[in-house]
Amino acid sequence: MQLPLSFLDAEWIQSPFVGGPLTNAPAPYLRICFDLPDGVQEVVLHITALGLVEAEINGKRVSEDVFSPGWTDYHQRVRFVSYPVTDLLQSGPNVLGAVLGDGWYCGRIANLNRQYYGERPRLLAVLEGKSQDGQPFRIVSNQHWETAASPILANDLIDGEAYDARREIPHWSEPVATTVRWFPVEIHPAPAIALIPHRDPPVRRQERIKGQPLNPDDPKPGRRRIFDLGQNISGRLRLTVRGERGATLRIRHGEVLDEKGGLYTSNLRSAAATDFYTLKGGEEETWEPRFTFHGFRYTEIFWTNPHPAGDIRSVEGVVLHNEMVRTGTFSCTHPLLNQLFKNTVWGMKDNFLEAPTDCPQRDERLGWTGDIQVFLRTAAFISDVRNFFHKWLQDLHEAQKPNGAIPPFVPSVKAFDLPEDGGPAWADAVCIVPRDLYRAYGDLAFLEKTYPLMKRYMAYLAEHKVKDGVRCHPEVDAWGGFGDWLALDGSGRTEGGTPKDLIGTAFYAHNAAILRDSAKILGQDQESETWANLEKMTAQAFRDRFVTPQGQLIGGSQTACVLALHFNLLTPEQKPGAIAQLLSLIHRNGKKIGTGFVGTPYLLAVLEEAGHLDLAYDLLEQEEFPGWLFPVKNGATTVWERWDGWSEKNGFQDPRMNSFNHYAYGSVCNWMIETVAGLAPHEPGYRQILFKPRPGGSLTNASASCQTIHGEAAIAWTLTGNQLVLNVTVPPETEGIPDPGQDWLPVENDTPLPPGKHTLVWKKNSR
Ligand code: BGC
């Protein structure tokens, strides 16, 4: 490994404790005792781990970061963090200590056994600074460090943590005598991977939510109690208890309750999601695990020792995710739509932990490319995710295979026995995500950095996946991708529904269009033309294979029509036919949605653009299954993975695939923001802002606001009779473009709008 200068004389160190693919080892303490003269200055601790690390100096935590240094593909890269620590040091004896967790490095990832990247956690650290007279000094990780087992007997991100408070070592990171024996550390040869500074937003504790006991008035609560946070979160418990020394609490986590009011955990699959805490006894003791997190709303706390072993004084949920500044708001007259937006915000918080994951609870938690591809526009509105995605795009860079393939999840791991290519709408995230980041923030770097990846990817598709212009042609691609995942017409999981080669070809054309635009923006006009030609040829191949001259989509599904229309793949003559087909499919389905992960994000936009706003609102406001408000009506606090994760008629869906915290279907919030409220970037980064409200359904007002890179952009409209009054805010250095469409007539024609606050009045256009 090429060590950055600051690490040159440091060595990777580890403790002798090591577990196996199925077994844990205690989290080790590693420490070094050293003397310093008076008045040291400018002292910085550079630290990293293969695994997770929390450092302490003289008994004080060095930082509030959680799960540092985070998740990267440890076969290629690990980040180090630099903390200023002068204030923690003293003249005379000092101790620098670190506790190491298994994390993604040697704990479980998804459904895999432990030890995916390595067998045990390892530390690399340098403490450097100057003495009073300017002489440099360094303390580095090396053979002089010592190690002992911490009270964390087992730790795993997916399975949970076990802590025995009786085994605490008081003052372990302080320069005083401790009661245990310390052993020499082992040196581990430096791995051949990049070591780079950590510049991404860290994971931190973001909120704390009080848990309430179910049945609070139960006079005899017994050994088992369930607490409810009232919100499905990603994080862990902070517990305050009092009880007998040696009593052990078993703490299980779940998203929902079963029919009998017990904790429902079948949908966690192999994730144990269970913590254990053994009391030291005496006074009140407070504990929060360090190296695990769970996706849960409910927790079941069970005293394994006979009752009464003690009592539970307080239960709090600690919410964990990467730091992000919240930027977007939405509200309207419909309480269930407001709750849907809130659930989507939570779905995002719960899944933005080191990678944009599918779900935080079961044995999965992977950076599924398809999920973030559909959700990104909503995410970039809700929070400032620029830095989060600078990191993820680097992960993407590392995940791309030498032949150009993009895997189904990033960071890439060998889980679930999947092909190297993520398939249509998944791997295509390499084109869609940077395009949407550029749209939200106007930062060219997103395109510049990713355009070469897009090109390699398109070359891969051309070589391996396309025949006669058709991607996922059954003759060259037996798998064909995930289809319209979880659509109720059977796409994806079983045969039937939207044909996979139709989805593949539609997205191939869409990718070509993205590359056409990206090349143009990057000043590569000739390349842009090549992509434009590919788009045209692919659209033609799409029509030849999947569309009748009258515009009927073969395999007739809502998603097939939606993709053809949204990606502009039809001739003007074919469009009316495809629209008519879509309408009839929706009507025959009882005016209900029939799309899965792939078609859902575009469905309402397609209907609105085709002049069927009423139907779009019918679908949006639908409270029966299947529809966005069905889970909300049934008490959801996050977005469900499936339209019918639970229903009165059938109870819980198949536990092998039933998360209650998947943001993918929350992508409808993009339509609520841009079309219901009517706030969208017209130029990348909101350099021009489109105010395009389309009131409809039961709504009489709606509003949205966003802290754009230029400042706050906002809209709030109220509908009274035939009159629509809009209050809009245009941030500095931008202009507002009001768009009344066909349905409205501006009383005064005031466009473009300069920065500032404006009130506009539109009258209903009674054509
Ligand atoms: C995940 C996803 C993902 C899908 C691929 C599931 O197991 O949870 O959300 O996109 O597999 O089809």
Side-chain angles (χ1 to χ4, degrees):
M1 172 174 35
Q2 277 277 328
L3 280 182
L5 230 46
S6 30
F7 283 102
L8 265 187
D9 47 350
E11 292 186 276
W12 285 95
I13 56 175
Q14 64 189 27
S15 86
F17 319 129
V18 59
L22 299 176
T23 53
N24 298 77
Y29 284 145
L30 282 77
R31 64 173 210 170
I32 179 99
C33 309
F34 54 96
D35 283 334
L36 285 178
D38 247 359
V40 291
Q41 14 169 352
E42 295 167 39
V43 190
V44 177
L45 173 66
H46 307 287
I47 188 164
T48 188
L50 296 168
L52 309 175
V53 58
E54 288 190 1
E56 294 184 12
I57 292 179
N58 298 330
K60 298 220 173 66
R61 292 275 305 274
V62 163
S63 111
E64 287 302 313
D65 293 353
V66 175
F67 304 144
S68 186
W71 186 17
T72 49
D73 180 345
Y74 296 106
H75 291 138
Q76 304 194 51
R77 174 175 63 122
V78 65
R79 295 165 296 174
F80 66 90
V81 192
S82 301
Y83 301 109
V85 293
T86 311
D87 293 348
L88 299 178
L89 295 160
Q90 59 195 20
S91 65
N94 288 267
V95 172
L96 164 60
V99 52
L100 299 184
D102 294 347
W104 294 270
Y105 182 73
C106 55
R108 288 187 63 197
I109 295 181
N111 63 342
L112 301 170
N113 285 343
R114 299 166 55 76
Q115 299 182 320
Y116 181 73
Y117 296 102
E119 58 158 16
R120 72 185 98 174
R122 288 153 185 146
L123 174 77
L124 184 71
V126 170
L127 183 79
E128 61 179 4
K130 286 184 200 155
S131 64
Q132 217 166 17
D133 55 3
Q135 290 302 309
F137 72 86
R138 293 167 67 74
I139 309 290
V140 302
S141 48
N142 59 20
Q143 77 280 10
H144 299 306
W145 288 53
E146 49 190 15
T147 183
S150 80
I152 302 173
L153 301 184
N155 70 94
D156 188 282
L157 291 176
I158 288 187
D159 286 338
E161 185 162 315
Y163 187 94
D164 188 340
R166 295 170 304 180
R167 301 176 67 101
E168 283 174 356
I169 308 174
H171 316 296
W172 73 273
S173 65
E174 290 172 65
V176 292
T178 58
T179 48
V180 296
R181 195 165 146 213
W182 292 82
F183 295 89
V185 294
E186 297 173 2
I187 304 287
H188 178 72
I193 60 175
L195 181 60
I196 57 160
H198 191 309
R199 298 217 171 88
D200 317 307
V203 176
R204 292 258 173 96
R205 295 171 183 81
Q206 304 289 341
E207 287 168 59
R208 286 200 200 169
I209 300 177
K210 259 214 142 355
Q212 302 298 341
L214 295 185
N215 311 325
D217 302 326
D218 189 347
K220 275 198 182 159
R223 292 163 68 181
R224 187 188 310 269
R225 296 207 84 178
I226 295 186
F227 291 80
D228 178 8
L229 300 181
Q231 175 61 52
N232 202 8
I233 69 162
S234 210
R236 54 207 186 191
L237 280 194
R238 189 177 173 81
L239 267 185
T240 301
V241 296
R242 187 160 191 270
E244 277 172 22
R245 183 176 177 81
T248 295
L249 294 170
R250 187 190 68 198
I251 305 152
R252 296 164 69 226
H253 303 77
E255 297 182 284
V256 286
L257 298 177
D258 63 23
E259 278 83 3
K260 293 193 188 122
L263 196 73
Y264 181 77
T265 55
S266 314
N267 67 330
L268 307 184
R269 302 195 307 215
S270 77
T274 303
D275 299 332
F276 295 92
Y277 179 73
T278 301
L279 282 74
K280 56 182 170 233
E283 292 311 304
E284 260 186 14
E285 39 203 295
T286 295
W287 177 69
E288 178 192 328
R290 286 188 191 223
F291 297 129
T292 193
F293 72 95
H294 312 290
F296 69 108
R297 167 178 170 171
Y298 299 95
T299 175
E300 180 210 78
I301 305 181
F302 177 72
W303 290 95
T304 55
N305 309 54
H307 198 69
D311 63 312
I312 298 163
R313 298 276 165 98
S314 119
V315 169
E316 281 179 311
V318 180
V319 177
L320 300 173
H321 57 81
N322 288 86
E323 299 234 293
M324 297 176 279
V325 175
R326 178 72 191 276
T327 48
T329 67
F330 169 88
S331 83
C332 69
T333 11
H334 198 316
L336 294 183
L337 288 178
N338 291 342
Q339 184 67 38
L340 171 63
F341 184 76
K342 197 172 166 211
N343 292 359
T344 304
V345 172
W346 270 104
M348 174 173 173
K349 294 200 269 193
D350 294 345
N351 281 294
F352 273 46
L353 201 154
E354 285 303 287
T357 54
D358 54 336
C359 55
Q361 75 297 84
R362 68 181 177 220
D363 54 355
E364 193 137 354
R365 304 175 178 189
L366 293 167
W368 280 95
T369 44
D371 302 42
I372 192 54
Q373 174 273 110
V374 303
F375 187 65
L376 185 64
R377 284 189 182 200
T378 303
F381 172 84
I382 291 174
S383 291
D384 183 347
V385 295
R386 282 176 287 176
N387 291 333
F388 185 81
F389 279 97
H390 275 304
K391 185 255 178 195
W392 191 75
L393 291 180
Q394 182 60 35
D395 292 339
L396 184 68
H397 186 86
E398 287 159 9
Q400 185 166 37
K401 308 291 169 205
N403 64 3
I406 296 286
F409 26 79
V410 172
S412 175
V413 287
K414 288 196 186 74
F416 299 117
D417 226 358
L418 290 168
E420 63 172 5
D421 163 39
W426 269 255
D428 302 325
V430 66
C431 304
I432 297 169
V433 167
R435 187 269 317 264
D436 284 351
L437 287 167
Y438 176 65
R439 179 182 187 262
Y441 302 111
D443 181 353
L444 264 188
F446 288 120
L447 295 182
E448 279 164 353
K449 282 195 188 154
T450 328
Y451 183 63
L453 276 65
M454 298 183 198
K455 287 201 324 190
R456 279 205 294 280
Y457 171 61
M458 289 298 271
Y460 164 82
L461 292 183
E463 189 179 342
H464 300 280
K465 299 281 163 175
V466 178
K467 183 166 188 275
D468 302 334
V470 172
R471 172 175 173 202
C472 307
H473 195 295
E475 284 171 29
V476 291
D477 185 1
W479 177 56
F482 298 104
D484 189 16
W485 186 246
L486 299 183
L488 295 162
D489 58 13
S491 304
R493 298 227 80 190
T494 52
E495 284 313 308
T498 315
K500 290 182 173 180
D501 48 354
L502 184 152
I503 298 177
T505 311
F507 272 87
Y508 191 45
H510 185 54
N511 292 345
I514 293 175
L515 271 93
R516 173 200 66 203
D517 295 346
S518 306
K520 184 119 198 107
I521 295 163
L522 296 173
Q524 311 268 0
D525 287 355
Q526 236 177 337
E527 290 194 10
S528 176
E529 240 173 77
T530 311
W531 297 120
N533 286 335
L534 178 66
E535 189 208 355
K536 274 190 213 123
M537 279 160 43
T538 309
Q540 184 65 54
F542 181 90
R543 291 192 291 273
D544 291 348
R545 188 170 169 97
F546 304 111
V547 198
T548 69
Q550 295 74 28
Q552 299 296 293
L553 274 294
I554 306 246
S557 68
Q558 293 184 22
T559 290
C561 301
V562 164
L563 296 182
L565 289 160
H566 192 68
F567 293 160
N568 215 1
L569 304 175
L570 305 177
T571 62
E573 295 73 41
Q574 287 173 319
K575 269 193 185 172
I579 293 168
Q581 185 185 13
L582 176 61
L583 296 182
S584 104
L585 285 166
I586 296 174
H587 282 288
R588 268 195 271 150
N589 201 30
K591 274 211 205 169
K592 285 182 184 157
I593 194 163
T595 49
F597 273 35
V598 171
T600 300
Y602 317 123
L603 175 64
L604 301 189
V606 164
L607 288 173
E608 187 262 328
E609 274 155 33
H612 298 279
L613 185 67
D614 286 354
L615 189 54
Y617 269 100
D618 284 345
L619 294 177
L620 181 67
E621 294 192 307
Q622 173 63 256
E623 294 180 19
E624 302 297 315
F625 156 79
W628 289 277
L629 297 188
F630 176 72
V632 178
K633 235 181 94 183
N634 282 292
T637 61
T638 39
V639 179
W640 294 356
E641 176 178 26
R642 310 179 78 122
W643 296 115
D644 57 346
W646 177 89
S647 67
E648 212 161 313
K649 188 158 153 246
N650 300 322
F652 290 111
Q653 249 283 7
D654 184 348
R656 287 171 302 176
M657 186 69 65
N658 196 23
S659 134
F660 292 94
N661 202 352
H662 252 64
Y663 50 56
Y665 286 148
S667 57
V668 71
C669 286
N670 181 243
W671 194 76
M672 288 158 53
I673 296 151
E674 300 196 355
T675 307
V676 173
L679 176 67
H682 193 51
E683 285 285 318
Y686 294 83
R687 171 74 195 76
Q688 282 189 335
I689 298 152
L690 187 63
F691 296 113
K692 194 201 79 167
R694 295 290 180 263
S698 66
L699 304 188
T700 52
N701 69 48
S703 62
S705 70
C706 184
Q707 280 300 330
T708 73
I709 53 166
H710 303 285
E712 190 188 50
I715 183 166
W717 58 256
T718 311
L719 180 67
T720 331
N722 282 337
Q723 178 174 284
L724 190 68
V725 178
L726 294 84
N727 286 305
V728 302
T729 307
V730 181
E733 292 163 19
T734 69
E735 51 188 29
I737 312 289
D739 174 2
Q742 304 287 314
D743 292 345
W744 300 95
L745 291 173
V747 170
E748 280 171 50
N749 206 358
D750 29 17
T751 181
L753 297 167
K757 292 193 185 295
H758 308 273
T759 300
L760 314 179
V761 180
W762 295 354
K763 291 264 181 252
K764 188 98 196 150
N765 183 4
S766 40
R767 283 167 287 163

